[in-house]
Amino acid sequence: MEEKTECDSSYPQMCQPILTLKELLDFEKGPHPWKNLVEPIAPRTRSRHLGERYQVLDFADDPITYVENGSRPQVLLCHDFKGNYLNDKYINGVQGEEQWVDYRFYNWAAIDIFCYFSHYFVTVPTLQWLNCAHRNGVKVIGTVIVEQKNVQLLRDILQSEEFMMRVVEALVQVSKVCQFHGWLLNIECALESSKVGMLRDFVQLLTERCHAEIPGSLVIWYDAIAKTGRVDWQNELNSANDTFFLACDGIFLNYAWDRQKLERTENYIHNYCPNRRLDVFVGIDVFGRSQKAQMDTNAPLEQVMNFKFSVALFAPGWTFESLEEASRRDQLEPDDRNVQFLQMNDRFWNRLWRHLYVRGPMQLPFYTSFCLGSGKFYNRLGKTQSDECWFNLAKQNFQPSIPYTPPLEYETRNDPLCHWTHHFDGALDGGSCLKLRNDEQDKRLFACDFSCANDLIVCYAYRRSNPITVDLALVLKAYCPRRHECMRIVCANANCHVGDRSNEMRAIPLDKEASLQLLKLGAVSQLPLTDTVNGWDIRYYYLSAEELPPGIRIVDIGMKLHKEPEAHATDYALLGAIHLQAGIPTHREYLAQRTVLFFEGSE
């Protein structure tokens, strides 16, 4: 972490690793100018498995099944990207034409833990990644690594029990001050057998102290050094490495496992610690070390999930790095490199998604402009604040619950109209929005969980290539847990078509006067209470729960593109932002245009 004061502007302030024991032990002495800039972790829903058709909203009256987060396999994303501390190290991001196209991660809905990894002694997660992950509801851990070239570091840590305890307290303080949730311990150097017991004590003490000082924290051990003191990757959990597993919250197994090793791990868990199956994180290196991976990472992931172990995906930035050589050779422009990366990344995660559980937003108010954390300009309410290219992951907004990609059956078609994606040539807030051309079916954006009990104010901003032939609807799925019934609520124009089924209804858009009435009643919106701003149209709806039975919730948010027969195939709509907030039920009678939600047969 850069130890310069905020008034020192001689160079951009940066987040940095800790290189030595002295730096670690002196950590508390230095100023940490960005510690107050870390955002808290956004709450997320319980887990859902969305099935094979996760991209499409289905309105059949079937139960919405939630799984407790601690009862299903966890996904740890270990971010090793070209050594890290690159564009992401700058507290305020970077600007420049070549900088905006960099690796961005946005499939947060399926991730439980994000580990920032490098080969420096103590890897402190950067502010950009911390805020990006926290905004999407994901906890972050750092890395402590000692490799053979730095073996003296480990000997120094373990020189005495007293000194070891000082190191533990320093690591706890780093995590606490910088507001992340613990550590991956990667000890890949040989150690005298007489010191192994003290190393185990170090692991246990760090785990206990993190738990005591940082709620929800965890310490995970990487499978390298064995209890003999030799570096001896086991690629399974067994008596050679269990001493460290039993001392902490989990183990990250090395990548060279096979089915037999998974079976032996399963037997070990069954015989010795049957309640800790999910604490075994089976490693998969996306670059393909020791396993078939890369674009076939779904194959080893399926094997792991069949055993119901957790998984550690290492170096997912392969989807960016693997394209760089060809991009340089072909001298691709930044726009083309960006599109190429997004398409590659979307295909990669699409292949994994059916194996994973997702968690989405659940806290009101909820706002997202879908900004990915980079762009060719920076907009606020559709007006350009800066026309410089930029990269800052801390400005990434809450991202959808599914990959942006064609459905699986379209993947072999070279048809760019089959999917929706990020759009970087226009934005309401930030540097990007969503673009939709395909008018088939209701597309899921978020698996969510918002109560309707206090009414809902719903608004969204959009643009259309042709307002005469194209319209964009926001579609909400309301769910009654008691009867396992659902309702499709279409938020579009006043004349939009809805089906004849009893579980569909059209929400009434508020006119300008009614929107201003919301302001008078005390509503606060991140979008202007008007029908247009800087070329973007805005629609407001007031959804009243006055006729609803208790317990009704919005469990999905989607969108649907409508095209008139005369519309051109390339016509599209842009979704610039969504904002949901609780209503004002004590004053709802003042809104004559409110939409009264109603379930057929409600008591």
Side-chain angles (χ1 to χ4, degrees), residues 73 255-263 266 277 282-284 290-293 296-311 352 354-355:
Y255 314 108
W257 49 267
D258 53 26
R259 182 176 180 83
Q260 187 177 44
K261 290 180 184 294
L262 294 182
E263 288 174 347
E266 184 173 53
R277 173 185 292 269
V282 180
I284 300 174
S290 306
Q291 293 288 338
K292 180 181 181 181
D296 295 310
T297 299
N298 57 299
L301 176 64
E302 184 172 4
Q303 290 186 65
V304 174
M305 290 302 168
N306 285 341
F307 280 88
K308 295 183 169 56
F309 292 129
S310 294
V311 65
L352 307 187
R354 66 189 179 91
H355 300 294

Side-chain angles (χ1 to χ4, degrees), residues 514 516-524 542 584 587-591:
L516 291 174
Q517 184 67 21
L518 288 176
L519 184 63
K520 293 177 183 177
L521 295 174
V524 178
Y542 190 96
I584 314 163
H587 296 93
R588 61 166 73 110
E589 68 273 11
Y590 293 106
L591 293 165

Side-chain angles (χ1 to χ4, degrees), residues 301-543:
L301 176 64
E302 184 172 4
Q303 290 186 65
V304 174
M305 290 302 168
N306 285 341
F307 280 88
K308 295 183 169 56
F309 292 129
S310 294
V311 65
L313 293 171
F314 184 80
W318 171 84
T319 58
F320 188 93
E321 290 189 62
S322 62
L323 299 171
E324 288 188 294
E325 183 178 345
S327 296
R328 285 192 293 269
R329 183 189 65 230
D330 298 339
Q331 298 182 323
L332 294 184
E333 294 296 322
D335 272 301
D336 296 325
R337 289 193 288 116
N338 189 49
V339 168
Q340 194 178 67
F341 160 64
L342 292 174
Q343 289 178 346
M344 166 79 92
N345 197 64
D346 295 345
R347 287 198 302 272
F348 174 85
W349 285 99
N350 184 51
R351 289 168 175 252
L352 307 187
W353 217 251
R354 66 189 179 91
H355 300 294
L356 305 177
Y357 291 83
V358 302
R359 300 168 65 191
M362 62 175 291
Q363 186 177 59
L364 295 173
F366 172 70
Y367 175 83
T368 181
S369 69
F370 306 100
C371 178
L372 261 191
S374 74
K376 297 184 287 185
F377 49 79
Y378 192 86
N379 280 5
R380 175 62 185 134
L381 294 178
K383 187 174 182 180
T384 300
Q385 305 294 300
S386 170
D387 58 4
E388 286 193 80
C389 299
W390 61 277
F391 177 92
N392 186 351
L393 292 169
K395 294 186 180 295
Q396 185 180 114
N397 276 210
F398 211 114
Q399 294 297 310
S401 304
I402 65 164
Y404 314 156
T405 184
L408 288 172
E409 61 266 25
Y410 289 133
E411 195 169 280
T412 56
R413 303 184 195 176
N414 187 23
D415 185 353
L417 304 185
C418 285
H419 67 290
W420 49 286
T421 187
H422 277 104
H423 176 70
F424 285 82
D425 290 325
L428 182 80
D429 280 345
S432 58
C433 61
L434 297 187
K435 183 176 185 177
L436 181 66
R437 288 179 175 172
N438 184 308
D439 62 351
E440 298 176 12
Q441 304 170 317
D442 294 339
K443 307 289 194 298
R444 176 183 273 115
L445 289 173
F446 296 102
C448 57
D449 187 12
F450 297 123
S451 171
C452 294
N454 291 316
D455 299 350
L456 283 174
I457 299 171
V458 178
C459 63
Y460 64 99
Y462 65 103
R463 293 175 76 168
R464 296 164 287 178
S465 59
N466 188 336
I468 297 174
T469 61
V470 175
D471 194 29
L472 181 66
L474 199 68
V475 180
L476 309 180
K477 182 175 181 177
Y479 177 66
C480 176
R482 184 167 58 88
R483 301 203 309 243
H484 302 309
E485 294 176 352
C486 67
M487 177 169 57
R488 180 176 184 253
I489 305 169
V490 181
C491 301
N493 62 50
N495 302 313
C496 74
H497 172 74
V498 296
D500 297 326
R501 293 181 298 179
S502 60
N503 69 338
E504 294 190 43
M505 66 181 300
R506 179 175 59 238
I508 303 168
L510 303 182
D511 60 25
K512 188 173 183 179
E513 183 178 342
S515 297
L516 291 174
Q517 184 67 21
L518 288 176
L519 184 63
K520 293 177 183 177
L521 295 174
V524 178
S525 178
Q526 287 189 248
L527 293 175
L529 288 159
T530 182
D531 55 6
T532 183
V533 59
N534 298 318
W536 290 83
D537 295 318
I538 300 175
R539 287 174 175 156
Y540 274 88
Y541 307 84
Y542 190 96
L543 308 184

Side-chain angles (χ1 to χ4, degrees), residues 152-175:
Q152 190 58 44
L153 259 177
L154 184 60
R155 292 175 181 145
D156 290 343
I157 291 170
L158 303 177
Q159 62 184 268
S160 69
E161 187 172 333
E162 179 185 359
F163 193 83
M164 178 192 76
M165 292 174 68
R166 286 181 60 198
V167 174
V168 164
E169 292 304 320
L171 288 171
V172 172
Q173 277 303 114
V174 172
S175 185

